[in-house]
Each structure stands twice: as C-alpha cells, then as structure tokens.
Amino acid sequence: MIQGRSTGLRARLPEDVPVLHSELYDDVTTRSRADTRPWAPIAAAGGNSPYEPGGPGGGEAFFSVVDRTSGELAGEALLWGIDTHNRNAHLGLSLRPAFRGRGFGTEVVQLLCSYGFTVRGLRRLQLETLADNAPMIAAARRAGFALEGTLRGSAWVMGEFLDEVILGLPAAEWKPADWLH
C-alpha cells in the first residue's frame, strides 16, 4: 500500500468492484461527468465492470483508495495511458459520495504523483477534467499542476457540450508533500 496521512492506495480487490460500481458507475450523472465514454447499463457481475481489477498490463495502474482511519473503501484512483517511451501518463480519481469534501482528493493526487514519478520513473503527469470541477482542479493545483489549456465545448455531458481543462505537471516541478518523506 502507498500510504498518506489520511488515505492509502492499494490494489483493487474483487470485493471493491460491486461497491465502486454501485456508487460511482450507477450514478449516471457523476459517471457521465467523469468519463468521456458514454454511460451504458453494465452489471457489476460478470467481469464487465470498469472497476474490475486488470491483469498486469503496462498502460494502467488501478488503485482502490482507502480511508486509513476507518479502513473503508473511499474510492478509486488510477494512472492511465502510461507511455513508457515518452514517460508520461494521465491520472484520475473518483471518491465515493460519503468520502467527498474531506480533503482526500488532494492527498490522493499527491500519492499518484509519488507513484508516477518515484516508482514508475515518469517525467510528466497530466489530467483532464471538466472546467467546472472545482474540487479536482484545486486538488491538482495544490499538488503543483498548472493549467495548460481549455478545450472549449469538447465534452458531451448529459445533453450539453462543456469545456474541459488540461492540467500538467513535469516531474522536475513536483514538490512532494512534507508527509511523503
């Protein structure tokens, strides 16, 4: 487990899948805002859930976020699109509703940066989010990400086109949180 003060990142377990699927995927509005692919009804059972633990591939690293105080599953975090040639990746996270607003997002972004830069040896991390996703943008900025651009009207979300923003962080500019040492 990669541990922070309040949260930890651990391997995705099979028992995490129904919880994440129910609270994150089946919430159509939230899922539609978090993923560029259109929502479709998919059962958690049967191995088709997007939260199923994947095999050891090189292009993604899926984590379950755990509340270190209670030991409860708090959400999911991932590095995706890992490009070993250019040494960059995208990051994302989604917290269960009961765990939002606790400052976990900022810590999870730092933990993902630590994993990406120190464990995987990446030189750049990037995230894309809707321009009105203030909590994600704030968490990324606190970790050192800078706004690099706005993609105007690029995301079709629940019947309208919304702007997306791109934030990036080169490894050379990352300053690990004090508690990571």
Side-chain angles (χ1 to χ4, degrees):
M1 179 183 302
I2 300 170
Q3 297 186 31
R5 292 178 298 193
S6 304
T7 64
L9 301 180
R10 65 160 168 76
R12 180 82 42 85
L13 302 175
E15 56 267 30
D16 296 342
V17 175
V19 176
L20 294 172
H21 195 94
S22 172
E23 293 192 33
L24 300 178
Y25 188 83
D26 286 342
D27 177 348
V28 178
T29 302
T30 299
R31 181 63 184 196
S32 295
R33 292 179 53 79
D35 196 328
T36 59
R37 297 168 293 189
W39 184 89
I42 298 171
N48 294 321
S49 174
Y51 303 101
E52 280 292 329
E60 296 89 19
F62 297 99
F63 298 96
S64 287
V65 178
V66 177
D67 177 343
R68 289 194 58 209
T69 303
S70 68
E72 288 182 82
L73 175 66
E76 69 146 349
L78 66 149
L79 288 186
W80 59 275
I82 298 171
D83 178 341
T84 57
H85 177 72
N86 294 303
R87 295 179 45 206
N88 58 46
H90 303 261
L91 67 85
L93 68 103
S94 187
L95 297 173
R96 295 172 57 202
F99 295 90
R100 296 177 189 154
R102 297 188 191 183
F104 285 4
T106 298
E107 187 170 291
V108 170
V109 170
Q110 276 284 352
L111 293 173
L112 287 169
C113 288
S114 179
Y115 174 75
F117 293 140
T118 64
V119 176
R120 297 296 293 256
L122 299 175
R123 63 161 201 79
R124 175 187 160 74
L125 292 174
Q126 174 176 313
L127 67 93
E128 301 83 13
T129 190
L130 295 175
D132 65 356
N133 188 350
M136 185 68 223
I137 294 167
R141 285 184 175 268
R142 284 191 288 272
F145 283 77
L147 180 65
E148 295 182 337
T150 300
L151 303 172
R152 297 179 298 162
S154 66
W156 178 251
V157 179
M158 302 298 290
E160 64 181 320
F161 285 103
L162 301 177
D163 293 350
E164 289 181 286
V165 293
I166 299 171
L167 295 105
L169 177 62
E173 295 177 12
W174 180 56
K175 294 178 178 66
D178 295 339
W179 47 265
L180 278 173
H181 296 293

